[in-house]
Amino acid sequence: RAHADGKSITFVGTATANGPAMVDGVTFPRQNEGHSGYTIDNAPGRSGISPLVTRVMPATKPDIVTLMIGTNDVQHDIDVTNAPARLCKLLDSIIATDAHMLLVVAQIVPTTDAKVNVAVQAFNNAIPALVNSRSAAGKHIILVDMYQPIASAPGFQTSGSTVPDNTVGPMFDWLHPNVAGYKVMGDTWYDAIKGALR
């Protein structure tokens, strides 16, 4: 979408390169800072995103950070009550590395398990206040709702812990989006950042 709009964009990060080699006949920048299975901070048996900030941010110098974190905290019931407080510290840590960078914080996507979504929504409901207080203080930070675009996508269902037909709807399994779901997410991210692109 950025290429079609004539916008200049690239990806940076220290994680293993991922994604296609080409998009619309243009080389796709495969760098990223996505980490499968990570939590907000280190937890028993889990690595956290927070400890990476002081190393990764100065090394990659992003103009925009798109952050969606907390799914594994909620899924694995890792002190969920205090997850917003951990997110609060992570946001401040990222912001402190570059006052001019735009931080785009997403509320996490739903699962197909209605019971788990109660905890997902409780976590998501805490995020707007964290973002708004920093925005009011003059920080370059905005909120993106990733929950509703997936939850309202055709074929989404909360039928339990499995998806009987993962070719229908936006989910690959009970927790992870499929290609259709990732397109919804990509469109949501792009709508949030396109005004910041040149």
Side-chain angles (χ1 to χ4, degrees), residues 55-192:
R55 175 179 57 84
V56 169
M57 292 293 290
T60 58
K61 296 180 172 54
D63 296 307
I64 300 171
V65 171
T66 55
L67 177 68
M68 186 169 68
I69 189 72
T71 297
N72 289 301
D73 297 74
V74 173
Q75 175 198 358
H76 297 288
D77 196 22
I78 299 172
D79 191 18
V80 177
T81 302
N82 292 311
R86 293 193 302 278
L87 179 60
C88 179
K89 290 178 183 177
L90 174 60
L91 299 181
D92 289 340
S93 176
I94 294 171
I95 290 168
T97 65
D98 184 350
H100 301 290
M101 171 266 312
L102 173 63
L103 177 55
V104 187
V105 183
Q107 293 168 300
I108 63 177
V109 300
T111 74
T112 63
D113 187 320
K115 290 181 181 177
V116 174
N117 282 344
V118 172
V120 169
Q121 289 176 311
F123 174 70
N124 280 345
N125 288 342
I127 298 175
L130 302 180
V131 171
N132 292 341
S133 64
R134 284 154 182 80
S135 177
K139 308 302 181 186
H140 298 144
I141 184 171
I142 59 174
L143 178 71
V144 171
D145 178 3
M146 279 294 171
Y147 186 98
Q148 196 55 41
I150 294 290
S152 62
F156 179 80
Q157 54 186 303
T158 54
S159 59
S161 61
T162 60
V163 178
D165 180 4
N166 65 23
T167 62
V168 176
M171 301 298 284
F172 172 75
D173 58 22
W174 78 280
L175 182 65
H176 302 92
N178 58 18
V179 171
Y182 285 127
K183 182 181 185 312
V184 171
M185 291 175 67
D187 286 343
T188 303
W189 282 124
Y190 185 70
D191 288 344

Side-chain angles (χ1 to χ4, degrees), residues 8-21:
S8 176
I9 189 172
T10 193
F11 293 84
V12 297
T14 63
T16 304
N18 198 354

